[in-house]
Amino acid sequence: MPGRLQNRVALITGAGSGIGLESSLLFAAEGAHVLLVDVNIAAAEKGAALIKERFPNVKAVAVKADVGKEEDIKNAVDLAVKEFGRLDVMFNNAGIMHPADDNATNTEEKIWDLTMTINLKGVWWGCKYAILAMRNNPTDESKGLHTGGSIINTASFVALMGAATPQLAYTASKGGVLAMTRELAMVHAREGIRFNSLCPGPLKTPLLMDFLNTPEKRDRRMIHLPMGRFGEAVELAKGALFLASDDSSYMTGTDFKVDGGLSSAYVTAIGEPVLPPPASLI
């Protein structure tokens, strides 16, 4: 049975770890050829090697790129088209959560600027060059391939509600991602290019765990999680797969929340998780 992304081409930034790596593996399992983009080329190459080992019928290429540099993003998109002939899915996933990001009085301008460059401007560039590539996609009805495509931008639950642990630059950057995604969805809907934001809740990834580096910070987040646990990166990858595939063909401009119920909660009771992660995720 063909996979949900059979014969399609996906470019994933931040593909060396966390959501990006899990999405790369899952997209490949569903039949996509994948360009893994990361500033850490060794991590991206390791991910590409895993895909080649597990899914020999698809192609995987790793490339080093800094999403804070426009030329790097353009070159990555150009490489995807050169290697695979088209671009169907752009997952602008790379981002930072700087440990020095704090409140309005304590956050330094250089931290603000760095965060905005990577988390917001980098997503803009990713959208820009993906749009240009997707407009030129060749149509192949026999393989279910058309012009247009799906662009997914990683935002965050903090773009929808304030973060109790101050991270002002990060929160503002992710709010910008939501607003930009909605506007692009409206502008390009008639071209068949869909834009959706993926809004993760707190995940058990190095990015967040390095920021929540004290028991107090972790407890402050946990009190808002109805399930009583941090999410797993693969759970977000499954959300990204849905947005990348035709399963979400009538969705654009959406803030897709995968947050364990956090954005619906006020404050939950502290205790053992009622719903542990599925055994397949552990």
Side-chain angles (χ1 to χ4, degrees):
M1 180 177 177
R4 282 177 280 181
L5 297 179
Q6 198 71 33
N7 299 314
R8 300 187 191 183
V9 175
L11 188 160
I12 301 175
T13 67
S17 63
I19 298 171
L21 177 59
E22 295 294 345
S23 297
S24 298
L25 295 170
L26 189 56
F27 286 17
E30 292 288 341
H33 306 300
V34 184
L35 185 73
L36 297 88
V37 178
D38 204 288
V39 70
N40 182 342
I41 185 59
E45 288 175 339
K46 184 176 180 180
L50 282 174
I51 289 174
K52 292 173 183 177
E53 176 185 330
R54 296 180 187 180
F55 314 109
N57 292 328
V58 302
K59 300 174 184 177
V61 175
V63 62
K64 180 176 181 179
D66 179 351
V67 299
K69 298 178 180 178
E70 182 177 8
E71 192 66 20
D72 280 15
I73 296 180
K74 180 183 184 301
N75 289 341
V77 172
D78 288 347
L79 178 61
V81 174
K82 179 181 177 182
E83 288 286 330
F84 307 125
R86 57 188 299 119
L87 180 63
D88 300 285
V89 180
M90 180 75 177
F91 187 9
N92 292 304
N93 170 69
I96 63 167
M97 184 184 294
H98 200 286
D101 192 358
D102 203 319
N103 58 33
T105 59
N106 294 338
T107 302
E108 296 181 42
E109 184 177 4
K110 65 181 181 180
I111 302 302
W112 175 277
D113 289 345
L114 176 64
T115 302
M116 290 297 169
T117 296
I118 294 174
N119 289 4
L120 186 53
K121 191 180 287 186
V123 172
W124 163 44
W125 287 328
C127 292
K128 173 182 176 180
Y129 291 106
I131 291 164
L132 295 173
M134 289 175 177
R135 283 173 171 169
N136 295 321
N137 278 344
T139 299
D140 187 340
E141 296 291 348
S142 66
K143 295 182 178 180
L145 299 174
H146 312 281
T147 55
S150 174
I151 298 178
I152 307 160
N153 298 326
T154 298
S156 171
F157 76 94
V158 301
L160 301 164
M161 55 193 300
T165 304
Q167 48 184 135
L168 186 65
Y170 181 85
T171 297
S173 71
K174 295 302 185 178
V177 168
L178 285 191
M180 179 171 60
T181 302
R182 292 188 194 111
E183 179 159 326
L184 289 170
M186 299 305 100
V187 172
H188 298 282
R190 296 294 176 97
E191 295 183 74
I193 302 176
R194 298 187 296 112
F195 292 81
N196 291 289
S197 296
L198 183 66
C199 297
L203 301 183
K204 194 167 61 179
T205 62
L207 181 67
L208 182 62
M209 294 301 102
D210 287 348
F211 179 76
L212 301 180
N213 52 12
T214 68
E216 291 76 18
K217 285 184 177 181
R218 288 190 290 272
D219 290 345
R220 191 71 181 85
R221 281 287 166 87
M222 193 65 72
I223 199 171
H224 292 280
L225 288 168
M227 290 186 178
R229 66 174 177 87
F230 293 110
E232 301 288 342
V234 67
E235 294 175 297
L236 270 295
K238 291 179 178 180
L241 172 62
F242 172 71
L243 294 175
S245 75
D246 288 341
D247 289 348
S248 60
S249 59
Y250 199 53
M251 289 176 62
T252 195
T254 298
D255 308 333
F256 193 67
K257 296 179 289 185
V258 185
D259 65 359
L262 185 151
S263 57
S264 297
Y266 175 53
V267 177
T268 65
I270 296 177
E272 291 299 314
V274 176
L275 296 173
S280 61
L281 301 180
I282 301 174

